[in-house]
Amino acid sequence: IPLSELEKIFKETQQMLANYKCAMLEVETKFKVLNEQFSLDHERNPISSISTRLKSPQSIAEKLRRKNIPLGLKSIEENMYDVAGVRVVCSFVDDVYFLADCLLQQDDVRLLQRKDYIKEPKSNGYRSLHLIIETPIFLENEKRFMKVEVQLRTIAMEFWANLDHKMRYKKDMDPVMLTLTSNELYECASLSADLDRRMQAVRDMIEGSKNKG
Ligand code: 0O2
């Protein structure tokens, strides 16, 4: 490839990643605004933490290769849903749904895909609500819709997913160890779901007593 062509590809890739980053920041801000608003109205924060991550060019390329999708900027924008990721960790399960609804009601947010791994956990026990949305960013001369993956989960779901990610997710493991750890981690996921249910019940009790009094 001639040097001038390489430079062009490099520049376009940088621009594309910058666009995804802007969209990611927009979505992060939307959640921060919702958190502020909610805490004024209800005197508590539904969001425990927000984190963002931009996929590296290397891991974008690996994912496309794994899925047999041609490598190219247009192909990335059409086929990759998680170049920009926003993770919102909430206190309670109903905060997860409340925040997802608030986000999706906004008139500059389009929903492309919703996967509810809370209602239907993955077979390993993983729970989270995943949304793929499109939101506009405003560039010098154009308005461009960008895809962002939003993962919403509770503190208990985050605890499990975080440790699962560190120890096992997408890692090679010998089959015996795989079965042993799968069973154990599935148990832990069930315990964490139970914890969420009980914490939610405590909060419902407190809210209920406030409404009566
Ligand atoms: P990372 O390192 O977190 O970025 P695909 O994205 O195509 O691989 P799919 O079915 O389109 O898979 O996406 P899915 O299942 O909705 O969710 C993908 C993301 O959810 C993952 O991103 C993880 O962040 C998270 N996730 C899904 N399953 C698990 C799990 O079993 N354990 C943990 N810890 N996280 C999970 P990445 O890009 O695979 O990984």
Side-chain angles (χ1 to χ4, degrees):
I1 308 174
L3 194 60
S4 61
E5 187 61 21
L6 264 181
E7 274 173 1
K8 187 168 163 263
I9 295 173
F10 184 69
K11 249 197 144 135
E12 285 175 354
T13 309
Q14 265 189 327
Q15 178 64 56
M16 183 195 69
L17 290 175
N19 293 349
Y20 276 111
K21 187 172 176 187
C22 292
M24 191 175 82
L25 295 177
E26 290 277 355
V27 174
E28 183 184 22
T29 304
K30 283 175 181 296
F31 282 111
K32 286 186 172 163
V33 170
L34 287 170
N35 202 33
E36 279 300 317
Q37 188 55 50
F38 188 95
S39 57
L40 275 178
D41 294 345
H42 302 273
E43 290 173 0
R44 68 174 190 88
N45 293 321
I47 298 180
S48 162
S49 67
I50 307 178
S51 53
T52 55
R53 75 106 181 83
L54 203 60
K55 234 181 171 68
S56 68
Q58 191 189 341
S59 91
I60 294 173
E62 274 166 17
K63 187 161 179 175
L64 288 177
R65 201 172 308 126
R66 206 170 56 238
K67 299 196 161 195
N68 271 324
I69 296 168
L71 186 61
L73 296 186
K74 206 163 177 320
S75 167
I76 293 171
E77 299 209 74
E78 277 167 14
N79 299 301
M80 292 266 319
Y81 290 174
D82 65 342
V83 175
V86 176
R87 181 171 296 153
V88 182
V89 179
C90 301
S91 307
F92 298 96
V93 178
D94 67 356
D95 293 335
V96 165
Y97 291 108
F98 172 78
L99 287 165
D101 288 346
C102 289
L103 177 75
L104 296 175
Q105 270 166 27
Q106 300 185 3
D107 61 11
D108 58 350
V109 172
R110 297 178 186 160
L111 176 67
L112 298 186
Q113 188 190 83
R114 178 189 178 105
K115 286 189 190 167
D116 192 341
Y117 295 125
I118 301 175
K119 293 220 162 71
E120 283 179 60
K122 288 179 75 168
S123 57
N124 62 354
Y126 175 79
R127 293 182 305 136
S128 275
L129 178 63
H130 291 190
L131 307 174
I132 308 293
I133 59 159
E134 267 188 337
T135 196
I137 55 163
F138 294 88
L139 304 169
E140 215 173 306
N141 304 311
E142 64 169 323
K143 173 181 175 184
R144 183 183 273 246
F145 275 85
M146 302 298 299
K147 295 183 178 73
V148 178
E149 184 194 59
V150 181
Q151 297 182 348
L152 296 121
R153 48 174 77 149
T154 62
I155 300 168
M157 295 173 202
E158 167 70 359
F159 170 73
W160 186 93
N162 206 331
L163 298 188
D164 172 64
H165 200 282
K166 275 194 192 128
M167 294 189 292
R168 262 184 36 128
Y169 186 56
K170 289 185 174 169
K171 292 197 170 55
D172 291 328
M173 208 176 253
D174 102 19
V176 178
M177 193 51 102
L178 189 69
T179 313
L180 283 175
T181 54
S182 295
N183 291 339
E184 191 59 17
L185 277 173
Y186 185 80
E187 260 310 285
C188 292
S190 304
L191 288 173
S192 92
D194 211 32
L195 201 56
D196 270 334
R197 273 189 290 273
R198 292 173 71 169
M199 287 297 189
Q200 180 73 58
V202 172
R203 219 202 73 208
D204 291 347
M205 251 158 71
I206 295 170
E207 295 289 316
S209 76
K210 268 194 215 156
N211 292 341
K212 269 187 212 147

PDB file of all heavy atoms in Angstrom, residues 7-23:
ATOM      1  N   GLU A   7      -1.737   6.679   5.131  1.00  0.00           N
ATOM      2  CA  GLU A   7      -2.036   7.876   5.933  1.00  0.00           C
ATOM      3  C   GLU A   7      -3.526   8.177   5.926  1.00  0.00           C
ATOM      4  O   GLU A   7      -4.115   8.534   6.940  1.00  0.00           O
ATOM      5  CB  GLU A   7      -1.272   9.091   5.382  1.00  0.00           C
ATOM      6  CG  GLU A   7       0.125   9.202   5.953  1.00  0.00           C
ATOM      7  CD  GLU A   7       0.940  10.299   5.298  1.00  0.00           C
ATOM      8  OE1 GLU A   7       0.429  10.992   4.401  1.00  0.00           O
ATOM      9  OE2 GLU A   7       2.114  10.441   5.679  1.00  0.00           O
ATOM     10  N   LYS A   8      -4.131   7.987   4.745  1.00  0.00           N
ATOM     11  CA  LYS A   8      -5.573   8.257   4.596  1.00  0.00           C
ATOM     12  C   LYS A   8      -6.373   7.290   5.485  1.00  0.00           C
ATOM     13  O   LYS A   8      -7.265   7.700   6.232  1.00  0.00           O
ATOM     14  CB  LYS A   8      -5.954   8.089   3.122  1.00  0.00           C
ATOM     15  CG  LYS A   8      -7.372   8.512   2.814  1.00  0.00           C
ATOM     16  CD  LYS A   8      -7.581   8.603   1.302  1.00  0.00           C
ATOM     17  CE  LYS A   8      -9.056   8.623   0.987  1.00  0.00           C
ATOM     18  NZ  LYS A   8      -9.600   7.329   0.624  1.00  0.00           N
ATOM     19  N   ILE A   9      -6.014   5.999   5.419  1.00  0.00           N
ATOM     20  CA  ILE A   9      -6.720   4.994   6.229  1.00  0.00           C
ATOM     21  C   ILE A   9      -6.575   5.327   7.709  1.00  0.00           C
ATOM     22  O   ILE A   9      -7.531   5.280   8.489  1.00  0.00           O
ATOM     23  CB  ILE A   9      -6.178   3.563   5.939  1.00  0.00           C
ATOM     24  CG1 ILE A   9      -6.495   3.168   4.498  1.00  0.00           C
ATOM     25  CG2 ILE A   9      -6.756   2.551   6.910  1.00  0.00           C
ATOM     26  CD1 ILE A   9      -5.862   1.871   4.054  1.00  0.00           C
ATOM     27  N   PHE A  10      -5.348   5.689   8.088  1.00  0.00           N
ATOM     28  CA  PHE A  10      -5.070   6.010   9.491  1.00  0.00           C
ATOM     29  C   PHE A  10      -5.930   7.181   9.970  1.00  0.00           C
ATOM     30  O   PHE A  10      -6.559   7.126  11.027  1.00  0.00           O
ATOM     31  CB  PHE A  10      -3.572   6.338   9.631  1.00  0.00           C
ATOM     32  CG  PHE A  10      -3.154   6.579  11.046  1.00  0.00           C
ATOM     33  CD1 PHE A  10      -3.132   5.540  11.965  1.00  0.00           C
ATOM     34  CD2 PHE A  10      -2.795   7.843  11.472  1.00  0.00           C
ATOM     35  CE1 PHE A  10      -2.759   5.756  13.290  1.00  0.00           C
ATOM     36  CE2 PHE A  10      -2.419   8.083  12.786  1.00  0.00           C
ATOM     37  CZ  PHE A  10      -2.403   7.032  13.691  1.00  0.00           C
ATOM     38  N   LYS A  11      -5.985   8.218   9.135  1.00  0.00           N
ATOM     39  CA  LYS A  11      -6.758   9.419   9.490  1.00  0.00           C
ATOM     40  C   LYS A  11      -8.246   9.100   9.611  1.00  0.00           C
ATOM     41  O   LYS A  11      -8.923   9.526  10.555  1.00  0.00           O
ATOM     42  CB  LYS A  11      -6.574  10.480   8.398  1.00  0.00           C
ATOM     43  CG  LYS A  11      -5.776  11.666   8.900  1.00  0.00           C
ATOM     44  CD  LYS A  11      -5.967  12.828   7.997  1.00  0.00           C
ATOM     45  CE  LYS A  11      -5.968  14.050   8.901  1.00  0.00           C
ATOM     46  NZ  LYS A  11      -5.195  15.105   8.431  1.00  0.00           N
ATOM     47  N   GLU A  12      -8.750   8.308   8.636  1.00  0.00           N
ATOM     48  CA  GLU A  12     -10.186   7.969   8.658  1.00  0.00           C
ATOM     49  C   GLU A  12     -10.531   7.111   9.876  1.00  0.00           C
ATOM     50  O   GLU A  12     -11.592   7.245  10.466  1.00  0.00           O
ATOM     51  CB  GLU A  12     -10.571   7.250   7.358  1.00  0.00           C
ATOM     52  CG  GLU A  12     -10.671   8.205   6.196  1.00  0.00           C
ATOM     53  CD  GLU A  12     -10.922   7.508   4.856  1.00  0.00           C
ATOM     54  OE1 GLU A  12     -10.913   6.250   4.825  1.00  0.00           O
ATOM     55  OE2 GLU A  12     -11.122   8.216   3.861  1.00  0.00           O
ATOM     56  N   THR A  13      -9.608   6.219  10.231  1.00  0.00           N
ATOM     57  CA  THR A  13      -9.839   5.366  11.409  1.00  0.00           C
ATOM     58  C   THR A  13      -9.880   6.231  12.671  1.00  0.00           C
ATOM     59  O   THR A  13     -10.758   6.059  13.526  1.00  0.00           O
ATOM     60  CB  THR A  13      -8.719   4.306  11.533  1.00  0.00           C
ATOM     61  OG1 THR A  13      -8.591   3.650  10.300  1.00  0.00           O
ATOM     62  CG2 THR A  13      -9.024   3.300  12.623  1.00  0.00           C
ATOM     63  N   GLN A  14      -8.939   7.157  12.743  1.00  0.00           N
ATOM     64  CA  GLN A  14      -8.906   8.065  13.907  1.00  0.00           C
ATOM     65  C   GLN A  14     -10.211   8.852  14.015  1.00  0.00           C
ATOM     66  O   GLN A  14     -10.767   9.010  15.094  1.00  0.00           O
ATOM     67  CB  GLN A  14      -7.751   9.053  13.748  1.00  0.00           C
ATOM     68  CG  GLN A  14      -6.498   8.632  14.452  1.00  0.00           C
ATOM     69  CD  GLN A  14      -5.469   9.750  14.437  1.00  0.00           C
ATOM     70  OE1 GLN A  14      -5.406  10.520  13.482  1.00  0.00           O
ATOM     71  NE2 GLN A  14      -4.684   9.836  15.469  1.00  0.00           N
ATOM     72  N   GLN A  15     -10.688   9.337  12.856  1.00  0.00           N
ATOM     73  CA  GLN A  15     -11.928  10.122  12.834  1.00  0.00           C
ATOM     74  C   GLN A  15     -13.111   9.265  13.298  1.00  0.00           C
ATOM     75  O   GLN A  15     -13.940   9.690  14.098  1.00  0.00           O
ATOM     76  CB  GLN A  15     -12.175  10.667  11.418  1.00  0.00           C
ATOM     77  CG  GLN A  15     -13.463  11.463  11.262  1.00  0.00           C
ATOM     78  CD  GLN A  15     -13.473  12.747  12.095  1.00  0.00           C
ATOM     79  OE1 GLN A  15     -12.576  13.566  11.951  1.00  0.00           O
ATOM     80  NE2 GLN A  15     -14.453  12.900  12.987  1.00  0.00           N
ATOM     81  N   MET A  16     -13.132   8.010  12.802  1.00  0.00           N
ATOM     82  CA  MET A  16     -14.239   7.123  13.177  1.00  0.00           C
ATOM     83  C   MET A  16     -14.235   6.863  14.685  1.00  0.00           C
ATOM     84  O   MET A  16     -15.273   6.943  15.347  1.00  0.00           O
ATOM     85  CB  MET A  16     -14.123   5.805  12.411  1.00  0.00           C
ATOM     86  CG  MET A  16     -15.263   4.859  12.698  1.00  0.00           C
ATOM     87  SD  MET A  16     -14.914   3.190  12.161  1.00  0.00           S
ATOM     88  CE  MET A  16     -13.641   2.734  13.304  1.00  0.00           C
ATOM     89  N   LEU A  17     -13.051   6.584  15.227  1.00  0.00           N
ATOM     90  CA  LEU A  17     -12.972   6.318  16.674  1.00  0.00           C
ATOM     91  C   LEU A  17     -13.352   7.564  17.478  1.00  0.00           C
ATOM     92  O   LEU A  17     -14.009   7.464  18.522  1.00  0.00           O
ATOM     93  CB  LEU A  17     -11.578   5.822  17.058  1.00  0.00           C
ATOM     94  CG  LEU A  17     -11.239   4.407  16.565  1.00  0.00           C
ATOM     95  CD1 LEU A  17      -9.806   4.050  16.896  1.00  0.00           C
ATOM     96  CD2 LEU A  17     -12.194   3.375  17.177  1.00  0.00           C
ATOM     97  N   ALA A  18     -12.964   8.731  16.958  1.00  0.00           N
ATOM     98  CA  ALA A  18     -13.330   9.979  17.644  1.00  0.00           C
ATOM     99  C   ALA A  18     -14.851  10.139  17.653  1.00  0.00           C
ATOM    100  O   ALA A  18     -15.437  10.572  18.654  1.00  0.00           O
ATOM    101  CB  ALA A  18     -12.662  11.163  16.961  1.00  0.00           C
ATOM    102  N   ASN A  19     -15.500   9.767  16.533  1.00  0.00           N
ATOM    103  CA  ASN A  19     -16.970   9.859  16.475  1.00  0.00           C
ATOM    104  C   ASN A  19     -17.620   8.942  17.516  1.00  0.00           C
ATOM    105  O   ASN A  19     -18.559   9.330  18.207  1.00  0.00           O
ATOM    106  CB  ASN A  19     -17.484   9.479  15.090  1.00  0.00           C
ATOM    107  CG  ASN A  19     -17.077  10.489  14.033  1.00  0.00           C
ATOM    108  OD1 ASN A  19     -16.596  11.573  14.363  1.00  0.00           O
ATOM    109  ND2 ASN A  19     -17.253  10.149  12.772  1.00  0.00           N
ATOM    110  N   TYR A  20     -17.100   7.712  17.604  1.00  0.00           N
ATOM    111  CA  TYR A  20     -17.649   6.776  18.595  1.00  0.00           C
ATOM    112  C   TYR A  20     -17.434   7.323  20.011  1.00  0.00           C
ATOM    113  O   TYR A  20     -18.297   7.211  20.875  1.00  0.00           O
ATOM    114  CB  TYR A  20     -16.992   5.397  18.473  1.00  0.00           C
ATOM    115  CG  TYR A  20     -17.631   4.532  17.423  1.00  0.00           C
ATOM    116  CD1 TYR A  20     -16.952   4.201  16.252  1.00  0.00           C
ATOM    117  CD2 TYR A  20     -18.923   4.036  17.582  1.00  0.00           C
ATOM    118  CE1 TYR A  20     -17.546   3.406  15.273  1.00  0.00           C
ATOM    119  CE2 TYR A  20     -19.523   3.240  16.615  1.00  0.00           C
ATOM    120  CZ  TYR A  20     -18.826   2.933  15.464  1.00  0.00           C
ATOM    121  OH  TYR A  20     -19.422   2.145  14.507  1.00  0.00           O
ATOM    122  N   LYS A  21     -16.269   7.920  20.218  1.00  0.00           N
ATOM    123  CA  LYS A  21     -15.970   8.453  21.550  1.00  0.00           C
ATOM    124  C   LYS A  21     -16.966   9.567  21.913  1.00  0.00           C
ATOM    125  O   LYS A  21     -17.459   9.639  23.038  1.00  0.00           O
ATOM    126  CB  LYS A  21     -14.526   8.971  21.593  1.00  0.00           C
ATOM    127  CG  LYS A  21     -14.114   9.377  22.977  1.00  0.00           C
ATOM    128  CD  LYS A  21     -12.650   9.701  23.064  1.00  0.00           C
ATOM    129  CE  LYS A  21     -12.329  10.204  24.460  1.00  0.00           C
ATOM    130  NZ  LYS A  21     -10.968  10.692  24.562  1.00  0.00           N
ATOM    131  N   CYS A  22     -17.262  10.426  20.933  1.00  0.00           N
ATOM    132  CA  CYS A  22     -18.217  11.522  21.183  1.00  0.00           C
ATOM    133  C   CYS A  22     -19.586  10.949  21.551  1.00  0.00           C
ATOM    134  O   CYS A  22     -20.242  11.424  22.495  1.00  0.00           O
ATOM    135  CB  CYS A  22     -18.371  12.417  19.958  1.00  0.00           C
ATOM    136  SG  CYS A  22     -16.891  13.333  19.625  1.00  0.00           S
ATOM    137  N   ALA A  23     -20.023   9.936  20.800  1.00  0.00           N
ATOM    138  CA  ALA A  23     -21.337   9.342  21.076  1.00  0.00           C
ATOM    139  C   ALA A  23     -21.352   8.726  22.475  1.00  0.00           C
ATOM    140  O   ALA A  23     -22.332   8.845  23.222  1.00  0.00           O
ATOM    141  CB  ALA A  23     -21.658   8.288  20.022  1.00  0.00           C
TER     142      ALA A  23
END
